[in-house]
Amino acid sequence: MSDLLRMTGLVSGLDTQSIVQGLVSAASYKTTKLKNNQKKLEWKQESWKSLNSKLYSFYSGNLSDMKLTSTFQMKKATLADSSIATAKASSNAVHGSQTLAVHQLATSGYLTGGEIKKGDTLASASTTLGELSDDFNGDGEIKINVKKGSGDTDASYGTVTLNKDMTMAEVAKAFGEVGLNANFDSSTGRFFINSKESGEAANFKLEATDDSLGKTALETLKLIDDGTNGAHKIEGKDAEIELNGAVFKSKTNTFDINGLTITADKESEKLGENSWKQTTVTVSTDVDGIYDKIKGYLKEYGELIKEMDTLYNAADASKYNVLSDEEKEALSDEEVEKWEGKIKDSLLRRDDNLNTIINSFKNAMSSTFEIGGKSYSLSSFGVNTLGYFEAADNEKGVYHIDGNADDESTKSKDDVLKKMIGTDPELVGSFFSKLTKGLYDSLSNQMKSVEGTRSFSKLYDDKRLKTEYDNIGKEITAQEKYVSDLEDRYYAQFSKMETALSKLQNSTSSLTGMMGG
């Protein structure tokens, strides 16, 4: 519509604006229809984006895992005494029982300093080294070496340099700067210093660099564990376990040995000088883990196939047009949402791309494979769809596991799948990896980029939809200009008519005046 301010119908008395709007109504309706089509296309893009996100998550998650045979080689480790340690078994752990004893747990080097006093009161974080002793009345540096490890070693955390003006908080910070955790607690008047990691190699030892000020500083700060000043040091040490008679050490309490990850929690009962009470670690097939993996895959598959069938089989909503702003104002928010919901639910009805994906899902899951000279399908493992009249609408492609305690429709049946996992996990793994690889490969092919039509990782023609959306936008712009130009033309014609009527009126008035009327 033109932005010109028009004064019309002043002479003729006609409602020019209404007449013009009536004359351009057909052209305006076309604009409205184009905008409605563009809005529906926008909603269709959003619907596809949402569905594609779910499908890609399934493709890169459950489906990707299920095609790997290693997924079905899950094993579990069970300890006779679970208070001693926990254990996890990888797929290459050896089946059977092994003996285990925990000799010692890993610890971090930890020094709790003695109580420091300034006169009769506890030192605070702001107390300086010089205030604690007159021995530090010079301006020289006081150096303390922090050695690393246990026993005699050349390894070092570094050298801590102090002076008489440093506060207890600053002293703690200086120890922290060489790689230790250090804090001064004003409430107890003590230093707390520990290594950041556990194990013998991370242990620490404080040593003065000379026989005078450095040693005096350690004594003043109550950091020497000599049984006289209240300090106490726990040495950092490695964890040590005995597995099948062999001794293993680790700087942490976790050990990775031949497919087993063992985390020591408590030292075993010591029976003698070099003897500890043994417990057993039993490695076996993780039947429940494999079962839950298949169950999770089928659950996600079922949710997707149900959603896709629902979208594809949606009711026709062609009679529902996008509401105008005026129409929305006349309805409640709930009524607007319900109206628009009918349109949105139908946008992928009978969609060709969606039909292709649905067929890929259903064809892959109905596949049969020969393994060890015998043919197997999902039904061989007690996995089936419900009967035609038993399944709910749009759930005829959903699979159910016989005996699944969480499935009301099949929980009373014999659990064939779990039994087969327990007796022949290799067969189960071989079948399901083949089955899911077929679907994975099919989706991979559909997700390839197509110039001008589809982007990589998309299962719908996102580029084509965008082009259609942009083209409609161009049509809307052109149509709006056409309507505006048409209005201008009609208004110009009415303006000429008004001018002519005005001249005629003036002439008539003059003639009447000359005749004395």
Side-chain angles (χ1 to χ4, degrees):
M1 181 180 291
S2 173
D3 293 328
L4 294 174
L5 181 62
R6 301 182 175 99
M7 301 294 289
T8 60
L10 296 177
V11 179
S12 66
L14 296 174
D15 185 355
T16 307
Q17 184 173 357
S18 296
I19 295 172
V20 171
Q21 293 305 310
L23 291 171
V24 302
S25 61
S28 295
Y29 175 73
K30 184 176 181 180
T31 304
T32 300
K33 192 172 182 180
L34 285 170
K35 288 182 177 180
N36 288 348
N37 290 340
Q38 189 182 48
K39 175 56 71 174
K40 286 184 179 180
L41 195 55
E42 178 185 331
W43 287 342
K44 185 174 184 178
Q45 288 174 306
E46 291 172 355
S47 181
W48 261 121
K49 284 179 182 178
S50 175
L51 179 59
N52 194 86
S53 178
K54 296 174 185 177
L55 289 168
Y56 189 79
S57 177
F58 171 70
Y59 166 82
S60 59
N62 262 330
L63 186 59
S64 180
D65 290 343
M66 288 286 289
K67 70 183 179 67
L68 303 174
T69 55
S70 59
T71 298
F72 305 94
Q73 295 169 356
M74 297 169 65
K75 297 176 184 177
K76 65 178 181 179
T78 306
L79 277 80
D81 185 354
S82 58
S83 69
I84 299 298
T86 58
K88 293 181 179 180
S90 67
S91 60
N92 61 345
V94 179
H95 277 86
S97 296
Q98 305 178 54
T99 59
L100 171 70
V102 178
H103 292 180
Q104 69 179 26
L105 299 177
T107 58
S108 300
Y110 205 109
L111 173 61
T112 301
E115 192 177 79
I116 304 171
K117 287 190 174 182
K118 177 185 175 183
D120 294 330
T121 60
L122 290 175
S124 69
S126 60
T127 302
T128 65
L129 190 57
E131 291 174 329
L132 296 175
S133 173
D134 292 333
D135 292 328
F136 309 111
N137 54 12
D139 295 326
E141 293 181 338
I142 307 162
K143 294 187 176 182
I144 298 172
N145 283 335
V146 184
K147 301 190 73 175
K148 194 171 187 177
S150 298
D152 295 328
T153 174
D154 293 330
S156 173
Y157 278 100
T159 300
V160 176
T161 302
L162 310 176
N163 62 63
K164 66 181 179 66
D165 296 321
M166 292 179 70
T167 65
M168 297 299 98
E170 290 171 336
V171 171
K173 182 180 179 182
F175 278 105
E177 288 174 348
V178 299
L180 299 174
N181 290 324
N183 181 57
F184 181 79
D185 180 22
S186 294
S187 65
T188 60
R190 296 171 184 262
F191 279 99
F192 295 86
I193 303 174
N194 67 284
S195 52
K196 293 182 178 180
E197 295 180 348
S198 60
E200 186 176 307
N203 191 36
F204 67 94
K205 182 179 181 181
L206 307 182
E207 292 184 344
T209 58
D210 53 56
D211 293 332
S212 55
L213 286 181
K215 183 178 180 182
T216 301
L218 290 174
E219 291 172 345
T220 302
L221 297 172
K222 304 295 180 67
L223 295 176
I224 299 177
D225 180 11
D226 59 3
T228 64
N229 62 7
H232 182 68
K233 173 73 187 303
I234 296 174
E235 299 298 328
K237 59 184 180 181
D238 292 338
E240 184 178 289
I241 65 170
E242 178 185 339
L243 185 65
N244 300 324
V247 176
F248 299 89
K249 290 187 175 184
S250 170
K251 68 178 183 179
T252 70
N253 289 316
T254 299
F255 298 78
D256 289 313
I257 305 170
N258 195 31
L260 280 176
T261 298
I262 299 170
T263 301
D265 295 320
K266 187 177 77 173
E267 292 180 359
S268 300
E269 178 185 349
K270 197 164 186 179
L271 303 177
E273 184 177 353
N274 291 303
S275 176
W276 288 263
K277 184 179 180 180
Q278 305 284 315
T279 188
T280 57
V281 183
T282 303
V283 177
S284 60
T285 298
D286 188 357
V287 175
D288 289 336
I290 297 172
Y291 182 85
D292 288 343
K293 188 67 180 177
I294 296 173
K295 180 178 171 182
Y297 164 79
L298 291 173
K299 181 176 185 294
E300 187 174 6
Y301 173 93
E303 290 170 350
L304 285 171
I305 200 67
K306 178 183 176 182
E307 180 176 353
M308 289 191 291
D309 275 345
T310 299
L311 291 170
Y312 187 78
N313 297 323
D316 182 19
S318 57
K319 66 179 181 179
Y320 289 89
N321 293 317
V322 177
L323 296 171
S324 65
D325 292 338
E326 292 78 11
E327 289 171 327
K328 288 182 180 179
E329 289 177 2
L331 300 173
S332 66
D333 292 342
E334 184 178 349
E335 288 172 326
V336 171
E337 183 178 355
K338 186 176 181 180
W339 181 281
E340 292 185 344
K342 291 183 179 295
I343 300 174
K344 293 177 180 179
D345 290 344
S346 70
L347 292 173
L348 299 187
R349 168 182 161 83
R350 303 293 185 261
D351 186 278
D352 289 340
N353 280 336
L354 182 57
N355 188 45
T356 299
I357 301 168
I358 291 172
N359 287 334
S360 296
F361 269 58
K362 293 182 177 179
N363 290 339
M365 294 293 278
S366 63
S367 299
T368 299
F369 300 97
E370 185 173 313
I371 303 172
K374 292 182 64 176
S375 292
Y376 294 90
S377 64
L378 277 171
S379 62
S380 306
F381 300 87
V383 179
N384 301 280
T385 57
L386 298 179
Y388 185 85
F389 295 104
E390 186 181 1
D393 289 344
N394 299 310
E395 292 189 23
K396 293 176 176 58
V398 175
Y399 283 88
H400 300 259
I401 303 173
D402 290 349
N404 179 7
D406 297 326
D407 194 328
E408 290 295 328
S409 58
T410 58
K411 68 179 184 179
S412 62
K413 297 182 179 181
D414 187 32
D415 199 332
V416 177
L417 176 61
K418 185 167 285 189
K419 288 181 180 178
M420 293 187 75
I421 295 172
T423 57
D424 197 346
E426 186 175 343
L427 168 63
V428 175
S430 178
F431 172 80
F432 277 96
S433 62
K434 290 176 184 292
L435 182 82
T436 51
K437 188 177 185 303
L439 178 54
Y440 184 90
D441 290 344
S442 177
L443 294 180
S444 294
N445 288 330
Q446 293 176 56
M447 283 191 282
K448 290 179 179 178
S449 176
V450 179
E451 183 66 30
T453 302
R454 181 174 297 189
S455 302
F456 174 74
S457 81
K458 297 294 188 296
L459 287 160
Y460 69 103
D461 298 338
D462 60 313
K463 290 183 177 180
R464 179 182 59 78
L465 289 177
K466 184 179 184 306
T467 299
E468 288 181 15
Y469 182 89
D470 292 342
N471 287 341
I472 293 176
K474 294 175 183 177
E475 287 187 65
I476 291 172
T477 300
Q479 187 64 19
E480 286 179 335
K481 185 178 185 306
Y482 171 73
V483 172
S484 179
D485 291 345
L486 192 59
E487 287 179 341
D488 289 343
R489 189 166 77 244
Y490 282 133
Y491 277 117
Q493 290 173 351
F494 275 106
S495 179
K496 289 179 181 179
M497 182 190 74
E498 292 287 329
T499 300
L501 287 174
S502 177
K503 290 180 179 179
L504 178 60
Q505 188 180 60
N506 289 337
S507 298
T508 303
S509 297
S510 298
L511 181 60
T512 302
M514 291 172 62
M515 297 177 65

